[in-house]
Amino acid sequence: GENVEQHPSTLSVQEGDSAVIKCTYSDSASNYFPWYKQELGKRPQLIIDIRSNVGEKKDQRIAVTLNKTAKHFSLHITETQPEDSAVYFCAANDRLTFGQGTILTVHP
Amino acid sequence: KAGVTQTPRYLIKTRGQQVTLSCSPISGHRSVSWYQQTPGQGLQFLFEYFSETQRNKGNFPGRFSGRQFSNSRSEMNVSTLELGDSALYLCASTIGGMWNTEAFFGQGTRLTVV
């Protein structure tokens, strides 16, 4: 089955800085890579996703890049704000296997 | 439209007991998956149901089981509870195939085993 590795496990940045979270996957057949954000005490919610036929996708301050050859994809958040503080999970679509999560803290 | 609803929100059980959790998906969604969330372990896939059939199963012992009804509502059962079963149990629903569309999560059931 699929194996998804996510790094770093914790990330602390100052407000306005950029944050990058990286994931690698093992199954070359995976073709859908979503990112979920889980705020404290709340349910995970999709923030952005990418399919294997594109290399990059942007939505305002967030972007995701995909390197199919290297089997890794990354979440980029620019101009971080305190409300970006949450746990972020990447996933690959072999049984929607999730990474271990990254706790992002944005300091005002 | 209503989101994914899980009941109950909180449960406290004693070791050796069994527990049943419920998940009502978004109307029209036919796939329901269950996840166990613990600190440091992320979201661990338990199983997925589609049209009342279990399509996929994760690496959990047979004490963990589930079912899905004709209205797509799903239940998860854990028998002979162990302390290590304490976790947040999340279900997620999608319209059809689970693996290439947005999954909508419920609020979860927080299970504490004492």
Side-chain angles (χ1 to χ4, degrees):
Chain A
E2 178 67 275
N3 184 44
V4 177
E5 296 287 334
Q6 182 174 345
H7 298 282
S9 57
T10 61
L11 181 58
S12 182
V13 300
Q14 288 297 127
E15 183 176 1
D17 288 349
S18 294
V20 180
I21 304 170
K22 298 181 179 179
C23 289
T24 60
Y25 62 98
S26 60
D27 188 351
S28 56
S30 291
N31 58 15
Y32 174 66
F33 306 94
W35 285 88
Y36 285 81
K37 175 184 180 182
Q38 186 178 27
E39 296 178 9
L40 189 63
K42 297 192 176 180
R43 70 190 79 193
Q45 291 190 298
L46 181 75
I47 55 170
I48 195 167
D49 56 15
I50 191 167
R51 299 183 188 275
S52 59
N53 58 346
V54 297
E56 183 176 4
K57 183 176 179 181
K58 287 184 179 180
D59 184 3
Q60 299 183 329
R61 295 186 298 107
I62 60 173
V64 56
T65 58
L66 172 65
N67 183 325
K68 286 187 295 182
T69 303
K71 287 193 250 178
H72 65 71
F73 56 110
S74 299
L75 177 71
H76 304 255
I77 306 174
T78 59
E79 300 173 23
T80 54
Q81 301 167 3
E83 51 264 40
D84 294 329
S85 297
V87 181
Y88 292 81
F89 293 97
C90 63
N93 67 318
D94 177 13
R95 299 192 300 179
L96 203 61
T97 304
F98 284 87
Q100 295 86 345
T102 296
I103 302 172
L104 173 64
T105 304
V106 181
H107 299 281
Chain B
K1 62 185 172 184
V4 179
T5 304
Q6 290 187 245
T7 57
R9 292 290 310 279
Y10 302 93
L11 268 177
I12 300 176
K13 291 286 188 178
T14 305
R15 273 181 302 173
Q17 287 186 313
Q18 73 163 18
V19 66
T20 299
L21 314 181
S22 179
C23 174
S24 293
I26 291 173
S27 178
H29 285 197
R30 298 167 63 191
S31 173
V32 174
S33 288
W34 289 87
Y35 295 86
Q36 181 192 67
Q37 185 174 26
T38 55
Q41 291 297 316
L43 291 159
Q44 302 289 312
F45 174 77
L46 282 154
F47 29 66
E48 184 230 355
Y49 286 86
F50 182 83
S51 293
E52 302 179 64
T53 301
Q54 185 182 88
R55 285 204 300 193
N56 288 282
K57 191 176 189 302
N59 297 322
F60 278 81
R63 301 185 295 107
F64 293 81
S65 63
R67 59 178 175 169
Q68 187 179 36
F69 302 95
S70 58
N71 62 358
S72 293
R73 188 178 72 86
S74 178
E75 287 183 348
M76 186 189 106
N77 185 275
V78 188
S79 63
T80 319
L81 285 165
E82 301 176 359
L83 294 179
D85 297 333
S86 295
L88 180 67
Y89 290 89
L90 292 161
C91 74
S93 75
T94 61
I95 288 178
M98 181 69 196
W99 318 122
N100 59 1
T101 58
E102 180 177 1
F104 293 85
F105 284 85
Q107 290 273 36
T109 294
R110 173 76 62 184
L111 173 64
T112 302
V113 182
V114 297

